Amino acid sequence: MSRGNRSGLPRWLGWGTGGLAVVAVLLTGYAVFSGDDETTTSQRPPTTTVASPGPTYAAPSGWTEPERWAVLPRGTRTDGRGNEVGFPHTVEGAVAMLVASNSTEFNAERSHVDVQLGVYESYLIPADRTEENRERIRKGAAENDALLRQTMGLPEDGVLPAGAYSRNQVVGYQLIEESPTAVSAWLLSRATVRAGESEKEQGSFTTTLAAVEWEGGSWWVSAASTENVMRRHGRDERPPIAAPGDAAFNSGGWTAIRAAS
């Protein structure tokens, strides 16, 4: 398994911090790797499910204002899991749902398993929510939690130290296809980890191929929508990884995200 990138973090870092994309990949077995030549399938939860930056990427010292900005709508309510839901039936609403479900954090108060099960319950289409799938998500999240703890140099179990966290924040997107019933996009995220209050934060940028469908008055991810976008676009040329403020962010076709007021 390839591990190197500019920050020294493992290439599966984004899998440890993302949300909806992790759930979808665990259900379908698809994985996408930035810079690789093909889309990979497997019969078990993959160790990598997001595209990661190459070893030569470094954020530029200067700032280039992003040319495209989006103020995405908020959901209409927060559900029992504490997740934002009820996004409008628009392309921007679909992207907002993808952003909300992939912007996650686990820390001393909320385990990685809690995060993934919360995403599963809040954003996975009801028809795919079976006991078998729930157990698959729980097991995969627990396995990745152990891997991430190992990388951070922390004990295999127990409460995380104060100040320790693993975060994923979506900072940009690029639409692939859109219709009233289905939206697919590349997501650009900043993934960071810190092993404790006195430890240095480490981070990298990752890209994820994602899709949602409209059913019963809500946007959902499903095994079918994920498999469809992977089959149709998993071999396409992938947008370059470039942080907002890098001129390559603009030339690569990314849209930056501003929080709605």
PDB file of all heavy atoms in Angstrom, residues 78-118:
ATOM      1  N   THR A  78     -31.697  19.749  12.191  1.00  0.00           N
ATOM      2  CA  THR A  78     -30.652  18.844  12.685  1.00  0.00           C
ATOM      3  C   THR A  78     -31.337  17.607  13.232  1.00  0.00           C
ATOM      4  O   THR A  78     -32.278  17.712  14.030  1.00  0.00           O
ATOM      5  CB  THR A  78     -29.815  19.519  13.785  1.00  0.00           C
ATOM      6  OG1 THR A  78     -29.184  20.684  13.240  1.00  0.00           O
ATOM      7  CG2 THR A  78     -28.750  18.567  14.309  1.00  0.00           C
ATOM      8  N   ASP A  79     -30.895  16.428  12.833  1.00  0.00           N
ATOM      9  CA  ASP A  79     -31.567  15.201  13.267  1.00  0.00           C
ATOM     10  C   ASP A  79     -31.047  14.720  14.617  1.00  0.00           C
ATOM     11  O   ASP A  79     -30.206  15.379  15.256  1.00  0.00           O
ATOM     12  CB  ASP A  79     -31.447  14.105  12.197  1.00  0.00           C
ATOM     13  CG  ASP A  79     -30.021  13.603  12.006  1.00  0.00           C
ATOM     14  OD1 ASP A  79     -29.116  13.977  12.790  1.00  0.00           O
ATOM     15  OD2 ASP A  79     -29.803  12.818  11.057  1.00  0.00           O
ATOM     16  N   GLY A  80     -31.523  13.566  15.052  1.00  0.00           N
ATOM     17  CA  GLY A  80     -31.153  13.035  16.357  1.00  0.00           C
ATOM     18  C   GLY A  80     -29.700  12.669  16.490  1.00  0.00           C
ATOM     19  O   GLY A  80     -29.199  12.511  17.619  1.00  0.00           O
ATOM     20  N   ARG A  81     -28.989  12.521  15.379  1.00  0.00           N
ATOM     21  CA  ARG A  81     -27.556  12.225  15.389  1.00  0.00           C
ATOM     22  C   ARG A  81     -26.716  13.496  15.430  1.00  0.00           C
ATOM     23  O   ARG A  81     -25.495  13.437  15.432  1.00  0.00           O
ATOM     24  CB  ARG A  81     -27.196  11.412  14.147  1.00  0.00           C
ATOM     25  CG  ARG A  81     -27.654   9.970  14.176  1.00  0.00           C
ATOM     26  CD  ARG A  81     -26.662   9.138  14.944  1.00  0.00           C
ATOM     27  NE  ARG A  81     -26.976   7.719  14.892  1.00  0.00           N
ATOM     28  CZ  ARG A  81     -26.171   6.780  15.381  1.00  0.00           C
ATOM     29  NH1 ARG A  81     -25.024   7.125  15.939  1.00  0.00           N
ATOM     30  NH2 ARG A  81     -26.512   5.515  15.328  1.00  0.00           N
ATOM     31  N   GLY A  82     -27.391  14.645  15.389  1.00  0.00           N
ATOM     32  CA  GLY A  82     -26.666  15.913  15.373  1.00  0.00           C
ATOM     33  C   GLY A  82     -26.185  16.302  13.996  1.00  0.00           C
ATOM     34  O   GLY A  82     -25.350  17.202  13.857  1.00  0.00           O
ATOM     35  N   ASN A  83     -26.723  15.643  12.947  1.00  0.00           N
ATOM     36  CA  ASN A  83     -26.325  15.936  11.578  1.00  0.00           C
ATOM     37  C   ASN A  83     -27.352  16.837  10.896  1.00  0.00           C
ATOM     38  O   ASN A  83     -28.557  16.704  11.114  1.00  0.00           O
ATOM     39  CB  ASN A  83     -26.179  14.642  10.780  1.00  0.00           C
ATOM     40  CG  ASN A  83     -24.992  13.823  11.234  1.00  0.00           C
ATOM     41  OD1 ASN A  83     -23.940  14.365  11.565  1.00  0.00           O
ATOM     42  ND2 ASN A  83     -25.145  12.501  11.252  1.00  0.00           N
ATOM     43  N   GLU A  84     -26.858  17.721  10.036  1.00  0.00           N
ATOM     44  CA  GLU A  84     -27.719  18.634   9.303  1.00  0.00           C
ATOM     45  C   GLU A  84     -28.378  17.884   8.147  1.00  0.00           C
ATOM     46  O   GLU A  84     -27.704  17.244   7.334  1.00  0.00           O
ATOM     47  CB  GLU A  84     -26.881  19.799   8.774  1.00  0.00           C
ATOM     48  CG  GLU A  84     -27.678  20.979   8.280  1.00  0.00           C
ATOM     49  CD  GLU A  84     -26.787  22.160   7.931  1.00  0.00           C
ATOM     50  OE1 GLU A  84     -25.579  22.118   8.245  1.00  0.00           O
ATOM     51  OE2 GLU A  84     -27.319  23.114   7.343  1.00  0.00           O
ATOM     52  N   VAL A  85     -29.689  17.958   8.047  1.00  0.00           N
ATOM     53  CA  VAL A  85     -30.444  17.256   7.004  1.00  0.00           C
ATOM     54  C   VAL A  85     -31.524  18.187   6.452  1.00  0.00           C
ATOM     55  O   VAL A  85     -31.709  19.295   6.932  1.00  0.00           O
ATOM     56  CB  VAL A  85     -31.090  15.963   7.546  1.00  0.00           C
ATOM     57  CG1 VAL A  85     -30.029  14.964   7.977  1.00  0.00           C
ATOM     58  CG2 VAL A  85     -32.028  16.272   8.713  1.00  0.00           C
ATOM     59  N   GLY A  86     -32.255  17.707   5.430  1.00  0.00           N
ATOM     60  CA  GLY A  86     -33.328  18.496   4.848  1.00  0.00           C
ATOM     61  C   GLY A  86     -32.827  19.550   3.888  1.00  0.00           C
ATOM     62  O   GLY A  86     -33.267  20.706   3.933  1.00  0.00           O
ATOM     63  N   PHE A  87     -31.927  19.175   2.986  1.00  0.00           N
ATOM     64  CA  PHE A  87     -31.382  20.127   2.025  1.00  0.00           C
ATOM     65  C   PHE A  87     -32.339  20.298   0.843  1.00  0.00           C
ATOM     66  O   PHE A  87     -33.051  19.373   0.466  1.00  0.00           O
ATOM     67  CB  PHE A  87     -30.009  19.650   1.551  1.00  0.00           C
ATOM     68  CG  PHE A  87     -28.973  19.639   2.635  1.00  0.00           C
ATOM     69  CD1 PHE A  87     -28.722  18.474   3.356  1.00  0.00           C
ATOM     70  CD2 PHE A  87     -28.279  20.785   2.964  1.00  0.00           C
ATOM     71  CE1 PHE A  87     -27.782  18.454   4.378  1.00  0.00           C
ATOM     72  CE2 PHE A  87     -27.336  20.784   3.974  1.00  0.00           C
ATOM     73  CZ  PHE A  87     -27.085  19.616   4.688  1.00  0.00           C
ATOM     74  N   PRO A  88     -32.359  21.489   0.238  1.00  0.00           N
ATOM     75  CA  PRO A  88     -33.341  21.767  -0.816  1.00  0.00           C
ATOM     76  C   PRO A  88     -33.123  20.944  -2.088  1.00  0.00           C
ATOM     77  O   PRO A  88     -32.015  20.459  -2.349  1.00  0.00           O
ATOM     78  CB  PRO A  88     -33.134  23.265  -1.090  1.00  0.00           C
ATOM     79  CG  PRO A  88     -31.767  23.569  -0.597  1.00  0.00           C
ATOM     80  CD  PRO A  88     -31.530  22.662   0.562  1.00  0.00           C
ATOM     81  N   HIS A  89     -34.182  20.821  -2.863  1.00  0.00           N
ATOM     82  CA  HIS A  89     -34.167  20.034  -4.093  1.00  0.00           C
ATOM     83  C   HIS A  89     -33.578  20.869  -5.235  1.00  0.00           C
ATOM     84  O   HIS A  89     -34.263  21.232  -6.200  1.00  0.00           O
ATOM     85  CB  HIS A  89     -35.578  19.573  -4.432  1.00  0.00           C
ATOM     86  CG  HIS A  89     -35.628  18.582  -5.550  1.00  0.00           C
ATOM     87  ND1 HIS A  89     -36.804  18.234  -6.182  1.00  0.00           N
ATOM     88  CD2 HIS A  89     -34.643  17.856  -6.157  1.00  0.00           C
ATOM     89  CE1 HIS A  89     -36.549  17.342  -7.129  1.00  0.00           C
ATOM     90  NE2 HIS A  89     -35.248  17.100  -7.132  1.00  0.00           N
ATOM     91  N   THR A  90     -32.301  21.175  -5.105  1.00  0.00           N
ATOM     92  CA  THR A  90     -31.544  21.921  -6.102  1.00  0.00           C
ATOM     93  C   THR A  90     -30.171  21.283  -6.215  1.00  0.00           C
ATOM     94  O   THR A  90     -29.767  20.478  -5.361  1.00  0.00           O
ATOM     95  CB  THR A  90     -31.364  23.391  -5.697  1.00  0.00           C
ATOM     96  OG1 THR A  90     -30.621  23.444  -4.459  1.00  0.00           O
ATOM     97  CG2 THR A  90     -32.710  24.086  -5.505  1.00  0.00           C
ATOM     98  N   VAL A  91     -29.439  21.655  -7.272  1.00  0.00           N
ATOM     99  CA  VAL A  91     -28.062  21.152  -7.406  1.00  0.00           C
ATOM    100  C   VAL A  91     -27.227  21.604  -6.205  1.00  0.00           C
ATOM    101  O   VAL A  91     -26.457  20.823  -5.628  1.00  0.00           O
ATOM    102  CB  VAL A  91     -27.434  21.640  -8.725  1.00  0.00           C
ATOM    103  CG1 VAL A  91     -25.951  21.283  -8.778  1.00  0.00           C
ATOM    104  CG2 VAL A  91     -28.166  21.046  -9.914  1.00  0.00           C
ATOM    105  N   GLU A  92     -27.398  22.869  -5.815  1.00  0.00           N
ATOM    106  CA  GLU A  92     -26.639  23.374  -4.656  1.00  0.00           C
ATOM    107  C   GLU A  92     -27.030  22.635  -3.381  1.00  0.00           C
ATOM    108  O   GLU A  92     -26.192  22.408  -2.506  1.00  0.00           O
ATOM    109  CB  GLU A  92     -26.885  24.876  -4.493  1.00  0.00           C
ATOM    110  CG  GLU A  92     -26.297  25.742  -5.590  1.00  0.00           C
ATOM    111  CD  GLU A  92     -27.129  25.726  -6.870  1.00  0.00           C
ATOM    112  OE1 GLU A  92     -28.281  25.233  -6.826  1.00  0.00           O
ATOM    113  OE2 GLU A  92     -26.624  26.195  -7.902  1.00  0.00           O
ATOM    114  N   GLY A  93     -28.311  22.265  -3.267  1.00  0.00           N
ATOM    115  CA  GLY A  93     -28.743  21.490  -2.103  1.00  0.00           C
ATOM    116  C   GLY A  93     -28.080  20.126  -2.065  1.00  0.00           C
ATOM    117  O   GLY A  93     -27.703  19.635  -0.997  1.00  0.00           O
ATOM    118  N   ALA A  94     -27.939  19.494  -3.228  1.00  0.00           N
ATOM    119  CA  ALA A  94     -27.275  18.192  -3.295  1.00  0.00           C
ATOM    120  C   ALA A  94     -25.814  18.313  -2.891  1.00  0.00           C
ATOM    121  O   ALA A  94     -25.287  17.490  -2.127  1.00  0.00           O
ATOM    122  CB  ALA A  94     -27.387  17.621  -4.708  1.00  0.00           C
ATOM    123  N   VAL A  95     -25.139  19.342  -3.399  1.00  0.00           N
ATOM    124  CA  VAL A  95     -23.728  19.544  -3.042  1.00  0.00           C
ATOM    125  C   VAL A  95     -23.609  19.854  -1.554  1.00  0.00           C
ATOM    126  O   VAL A  95     -22.690  19.362  -0.869  1.00  0.00           O
ATOM    127  CB  VAL A  95     -23.110  20.673  -3.888  1.00  0.00           C
ATOM    128  CG1 VAL A  95     -21.686  20.978  -3.418  1.00  0.00           C
ATOM    129  CG2 VAL A  95     -23.103  20.288  -5.365  1.00  0.00           C
ATOM    130  N   ALA A  96     -24.529  20.655  -1.025  1.00  0.00           N
ATOM    131  CA  ALA A  96     -24.492  20.983   0.402  1.00  0.00           C
ATOM    132  C   ALA A  96     -24.618  19.728   1.256  1.00  0.00           C
ATOM    133  O   ALA A  96     -23.963  19.598   2.301  1.00  0.00           O
ATOM    134  CB  ALA A  96     -25.612  21.966   0.742  1.00  0.00           C
ATOM    135  N   MET A  97     -25.459  18.799   0.817  1.00  0.00           N
ATOM    136  CA  MET A  97     -25.593  17.538   1.547  1.00  0.00           C
ATOM    137  C   MET A  97     -24.289  16.759   1.501  1.00  0.00           C
ATOM    138  O   MET A  97     -23.835  16.207   2.517  1.00  0.00           O
ATOM    139  CB  MET A  97     -26.735  16.714   0.953  1.00  0.00           C
ATOM    140  CG  MET A  97     -26.955  15.366   1.641  1.00  0.00           C
ATOM    141  SD  MET A  97     -25.976  14.039   0.869  1.00  0.00           S
ATOM    142  CE  MET A  97     -27.011  12.641   1.222  1.00  0.00           C
ATOM    143  N   LEU A  98     -23.635  16.712   0.326  1.00  0.00           N
ATOM    144  CA  LEU A  98     -22.349  16.022   0.213  1.00  0.00           C
ATOM    145  C   LEU A  98     -21.295  16.666   1.114  1.00  0.00           C
ATOM    146  O   LEU A  98     -20.511  15.972   1.759  1.00  0.00           O
ATOM    147  CB  LEU A  98     -21.870  16.039  -1.242  1.00  0.00           C
ATOM    148  CG  LEU A  98     -22.577  15.095  -2.203  1.00  0.00           C
ATOM    149  CD1 LEU A  98     -22.162  15.382  -3.640  1.00  0.00           C
ATOM    150  CD2 LEU A  98     -22.277  13.643  -1.849  1.00  0.00           C
ATOM    151  N   VAL A  99     -21.283  17.980   1.151  1.00  0.00           N
ATOM    152  CA  VAL A  99     -20.320  18.687   1.994  1.00  0.00           C
ATOM    153  C   VAL A  99     -20.570  18.395   3.469  1.00  0.00           C
ATOM    154  O   VAL A  99     -19.648  18.091   4.231  1.00  0.00           O
ATOM    155  CB  VAL A  99     -20.375  20.204   1.716  1.00  0.00           C
ATOM    156  CG1 VAL A  99     -19.545  20.971   2.747  1.00  0.00           C
ATOM    157  CG2 VAL A  99     -19.862  20.497   0.302  1.00  0.00           C
ATOM    158  N   ALA A 100     -21.838  18.476   3.896  1.00  0.00           N
ATOM    159  CA  ALA A 100     -22.173  18.237   5.298  1.00  0.00           C
ATOM    160  C   ALA A 100     -21.811  16.818   5.724  1.00  0.00           C
ATOM    161  O   ALA A 100     -21.280  16.595   6.818  1.00  0.00           O
ATOM    162  CB  ALA A 100     -23.659  18.494   5.536  1.00  0.00           C
ATOM    163  N   SER A 101     -22.082  15.856   4.863  1.00  0.00           N
ATOM    164  CA  SER A 101     -21.863  14.460   5.226  1.00  0.00           C
ATOM    165  C   SER A 101     -20.412  14.034   5.145  1.00  0.00           C
ATOM    166  O   SER A 101     -20.023  13.009   5.708  1.00  0.00           O
ATOM    167  CB  SER A 101     -22.714  13.550   4.331  1.00  0.00           C
ATOM    168  OG  SER A 101     -22.426  13.788   2.967  1.00  0.00           O
ATOM    169  N   ASN A 102     -19.575  14.819   4.457  1.00  0.00           N
ATOM    170  CA  ASN A 102     -18.155  14.496   4.362  1.00  0.00           C
ATOM    171  C   ASN A 102     -17.268  15.412   5.187  1.00  0.00           C
ATOM    172  O   ASN A 102     -16.055  15.256   5.195  1.00  0.00           O
ATOM    173  CB  ASN A 102     -17.714  14.532   2.895  1.00  0.00           C
ATOM    174  CG  ASN A 102     -18.102  13.277   2.150  1.00  0.00           C
ATOM    175  OD1 ASN A 102     -17.508  12.228   2.311  1.00  0.00           O
ATOM    176  ND2 ASN A 102     -19.149  13.379   1.338  1.00  0.00           N
ATOM    177  N   SER A 103     -17.863  16.396   5.870  1.00  0.00           N
ATOM    178  CA  SER A 103     -17.111  17.261   6.779  1.00  0.00           C
ATOM    179  C   SER A 103     -17.306  16.724   8.190  1.00  0.00           C
ATOM    180  O   SER A 103     -18.340  16.950   8.820  1.00  0.00           O
ATOM    181  CB  SER A 103     -17.601  18.711   6.662  1.00  0.00           C
ATOM    182  OG  SER A 103     -17.364  19.209   5.359  1.00  0.00           O
ATOM    183  N   THR A 104     -16.337  15.987   8.676  1.00  0.00           N
ATOM    184  CA  THR A 104     -16.506  15.232   9.916  1.00  0.00           C
ATOM    185  C   THR A 104     -15.316  15.413  10.850  1.00  0.00           C
ATOM    186  O   THR A 104     -14.243  15.864  10.441  1.00  0.00           O
ATOM    187  CB  THR A 104     -16.661  13.727   9.608  1.00  0.00           C
ATOM    188  OG1 THR A 104     -15.521  13.281   8.861  1.00  0.00           O
ATOM    189  CG2 THR A 104     -17.917  13.456   8.793  1.00  0.00           C
ATOM    190  N   GLU A 105     -15.520  15.037  12.083  1.00  0.00           N
ATOM    191  CA  GLU A 105     -14.441  15.058  13.076  1.00  0.00           C
ATOM    192  C   GLU A 105     -14.690  13.973  14.114  1.00  0.00           C
ATOM    193  O   GLU A 105     -15.805  13.784  14.574  1.00  0.00           O
ATOM    194  CB  GLU A 105     -14.370  16.412  13.779  1.00  0.00           C
ATOM    195  CG  GLU A 105     -13.326  16.448  14.898  1.00  0.00           C
ATOM    196  CD  GLU A 105     -13.199  17.811  15.568  1.00  0.00           C
ATOM    197  OE1 GLU A 105     -13.762  18.790  15.025  1.00  0.00           O
ATOM    198  OE2 GLU A 105     -12.538  17.893  16.619  1.00  0.00           O
ATOM    199  N   PHE A 106     -13.614  13.237  14.459  1.00  0.00           N
ATOM    200  CA  PHE A 106     -13.735  12.408  15.645  1.00  0.00           C
ATOM    201  C   PHE A 106     -12.640  12.805  16.611  1.00  0.00           C
ATOM    202  O   PHE A 106     -11.547  13.212  16.246  1.00  0.00           O
ATOM    203  CB  PHE A 106     -13.744  10.915  15.300  1.00  0.00           C
ATOM    204  CG  PHE A 106     -12.407  10.231  15.178  1.00  0.00           C
ATOM    205  CD1 PHE A 106     -11.847   9.584  16.264  1.00  0.00           C
ATOM    206  CD2 PHE A 106     -11.735  10.196  13.960  1.00  0.00           C
ATOM    207  CE1 PHE A 106     -10.631   8.929  16.151  1.00  0.00           C
ATOM    208  CE2 PHE A 106     -10.527   9.532  13.838  1.00  0.00           C
ATOM    209  CZ  PHE A 106      -9.970   8.893  14.937  1.00  0.00           C
ATOM    210  N   ASN A 107     -12.981  12.738  17.907  1.00  0.00           N
ATOM    211  CA  ASN A 107     -12.111  13.248  18.957  1.00  0.00           C
ATOM    212  C   ASN A 107     -12.416  12.502  20.250  1.00  0.00           C
ATOM    213  O   ASN A 107     -13.014  11.420  20.222  1.00  0.00           O
ATOM    214  CB  ASN A 107     -12.328  14.758  19.119  1.00  0.00           C
ATOM    215  CG  ASN A 107     -13.796  15.120  19.223  1.00  0.00           C
ATOM    216  OD1 ASN A 107     -14.580  14.419  19.868  1.00  0.00           O
ATOM    217  ND2 ASN A 107     -14.194  16.211  18.566  1.00  0.00           N
ATOM    218  N   ALA A 108     -12.030  13.075  21.369  1.00  0.00           N
ATOM    219  CA  ALA A 108     -12.220  12.398  22.656  1.00  0.00           C
ATOM    220  C   ALA A 108     -13.702  12.245  22.998  1.00  0.00           C
ATOM    221  O   ALA A 108     -14.073  11.349  23.762  1.00  0.00           O
ATOM    222  CB  ALA A 108     -11.508  13.177  23.759  1.00  0.00           C
ATOM    223  N   GLU A 109     -14.553  13.101  22.446  1.00  0.00           N
ATOM    224  CA  GLU A 109     -15.984  13.046  22.757  1.00  0.00           C
ATOM    225  C   GLU A 109     -16.771  12.177  21.786  1.00  0.00           C
ATOM    226  O   GLU A 109     -17.851  11.702  22.113  1.00  0.00           O
ATOM    227  CB  GLU A 109     -16.583  14.471  22.745  1.00  0.00           C
ATOM    228  CG  GLU A 109     -16.196  15.330  23.925  1.00  0.00           C
ATOM    229  CD  GLU A 109     -14.764  15.814  23.842  1.00  0.00           C
ATOM    230  OE1 GLU A 109     -14.332  16.182  22.734  1.00  0.00           O
ATOM    231  OE2 GLU A 109     -14.065  15.801  24.876  1.00  0.00           O
ATOM    232  N   ARG A 110     -16.265  11.975  20.586  1.00  0.00           N
ATOM    233  CA  ARG A 110     -17.014  11.248  19.561  1.00  0.00           C
ATOM    234  C   ARG A 110     -16.061  10.351  18.786  1.00  0.00           C
ATOM    235  O   ARG A 110     -15.136  10.838  18.125  1.00  0.00           O
ATOM    236  CB  ARG A 110     -17.711  12.225  18.618  1.00  0.00           C
ATOM    237  CG  ARG A 110     -18.808  11.572  17.775  1.00  0.00           C
ATOM    238  CD  ARG A 110     -19.504  12.586  16.919  1.00  0.00           C
ATOM    239  NE  ARG A 110     -20.658  11.997  16.246  1.00  0.00           N
ATOM    240  CZ  ARG A 110     -21.167  12.446  15.126  1.00  0.00           C
ATOM    241  NH1 ARG A 110     -20.628  13.492  14.524  1.00  0.00           N
ATOM    242  NH2 ARG A 110     -22.225  11.872  14.586  1.00  0.00           N
ATOM    243  N   SER A 111     -16.293   9.042  18.850  1.00  0.00           N
ATOM    244  CA  SER A 111     -15.400   8.089  18.204  1.00  0.00           C
ATOM    245  C   SER A 111     -15.622   8.045  16.702  1.00  0.00           C
ATOM    246  O   SER A 111     -16.647   8.503  16.182  1.00  0.00           O
ATOM    247  CB  SER A 111     -15.623   6.687  18.782  1.00  0.00           C
ATOM    248  OG  SER A 111     -16.842   6.146  18.324  1.00  0.00           O
ATOM    249  N   HIS A 112     -14.658   7.466  16.003  1.00  0.00           N
ATOM    250  CA  HIS A 112     -14.785   7.294  14.558  1.00  0.00           C
ATOM    251  C   HIS A 112     -15.990   6.411  14.226  1.00  0.00           C
ATOM    252  O   HIS A 112     -16.696   6.648  13.243  1.00  0.00           O
ATOM    253  CB  HIS A 112     -13.501   6.674  14.014  1.00  0.00           C
ATOM    254  CG  HIS A 112     -13.454   6.595  12.525  1.00  0.00           C
ATOM    255  ND1 HIS A 112     -13.638   7.687  11.713  1.00  0.00           N
ATOM    256  CD2 HIS A 112     -13.251   5.541  11.690  1.00  0.00           C
ATOM    257  CE1 HIS A 112     -13.544   7.316  10.451  1.00  0.00           C
ATOM    258  NE2 HIS A 112     -13.315   6.020  10.399  1.00  0.00           N
ATOM    259  N   VAL A 113     -16.247   5.411  15.041  1.00  0.00           N
ATOM    260  CA  VAL A 113     -17.407   4.548  14.832  1.00  0.00           C
ATOM    261  C   VAL A 113     -18.690   5.358  14.968  1.00  0.00           C
ATOM    262  O   VAL A 113     -19.623   5.220  14.164  1.00  0.00           O
ATOM    263  CB  VAL A 113     -17.393   3.369  15.822  1.00  0.00           C
ATOM    264  CG1 VAL A 113     -18.680   2.547  15.694  1.00  0.00           C
ATOM    265  CG2 VAL A 113     -16.177   2.477  15.573  1.00  0.00           C
ATOM    266  N   ASP A 114     -18.764   6.227  15.985  1.00  0.00           N
ATOM    267  CA  ASP A 114     -19.934   7.090  16.161  1.00  0.00           C
ATOM    268  C   ASP A 114     -20.162   7.960  14.926  1.00  0.00           C
ATOM    269  O   ASP A 114     -21.293   8.131  14.463  1.00  0.00           O
ATOM    270  CB  ASP A 114     -19.759   7.997  17.382  1.00  0.00           C
ATOM    271  CG  ASP A 114     -19.800   7.233  18.687  1.00  0.00           C
ATOM    272  OD1 ASP A 114     -20.386   6.136  18.720  1.00  0.00           O
ATOM    273  OD2 ASP A 114     -19.239   7.735  19.686  1.00  0.00           O
ATOM    274  N   VAL A 115     -19.069   8.537  14.407  1.00  0.00           N
ATOM    275  CA  VAL A 115     -19.168   9.417  13.244  1.00  0.00           C
ATOM    276  C   VAL A 115     -19.723   8.660  12.046  1.00  0.00           C
ATOM    277  O   VAL A 115     -20.667   9.105  11.378  1.00  0.00           O
ATOM    278  CB  VAL A 115     -17.792  10.028  12.905  1.00  0.00           C
ATOM    279  CG1 VAL A 115     -17.839  10.740  11.551  1.00  0.00           C
ATOM    280  CG2 VAL A 115     -17.359  10.999  13.997  1.00  0.00           C
ATOM    281  N   GLN A 116     -19.145   7.491  11.755  1.00  0.00           N
ATOM    282  CA  GLN A 116     -19.555   6.751  10.567  1.00  0.00           C
ATOM    283  C   GLN A 116     -20.983   6.214  10.686  1.00  0.00           C
ATOM    284  O   GLN A 116     -21.746   6.237   9.720  1.00  0.00           O
ATOM    285  CB  GLN A 116     -18.583   5.610  10.290  1.00  0.00           C
ATOM    286  CG  GLN A 116     -17.178   6.073   9.934  1.00  0.00           C
ATOM    287  CD  GLN A 116     -17.174   7.001   8.730  1.00  0.00           C
ATOM    288  OE1 GLN A 116     -18.016   6.900   7.840  1.00  0.00           O
ATOM    289  NE2 GLN A 116     -16.236   7.926   8.704  1.00  0.00           N
ATOM    290  N   LEU A 117     -21.343   5.727  11.861  1.00  0.00           N
ATOM    291  CA  LEU A 117     -22.718   5.256  12.040  1.00  0.00           C
ATOM    292  C   LEU A 117     -23.708   6.419  11.952  1.00  0.00           C
ATOM    293  O   LEU A 117     -24.824   6.256  11.461  1.00  0.00           O
ATOM    294  CB  LEU A 117     -22.862   4.525  13.369  1.00  0.00           C
ATOM    295  CG  LEU A 117     -22.217   3.140  13.436  1.00  0.00           C
ATOM    296  CD1 LEU A 117     -22.392   2.543  14.831  1.00  0.00           C
ATOM    297  CD2 LEU A 117     -22.794   2.204  12.376  1.00  0.00           C
ATOM    298  N   GLY A 118     -23.291   7.592  12.430  1.00  0.00           N
ATOM    299  CA  GLY A 118     -24.154   8.762  12.314  1.00  0.00           C
ATOM    300  C   GLY A 118     -24.391   9.139  10.867  1.00  0.00           C
ATOM    301  O   GLY A 118     -25.515   9.460  10.460  1.00  0.00           O
TER     302      GLY A 118
END
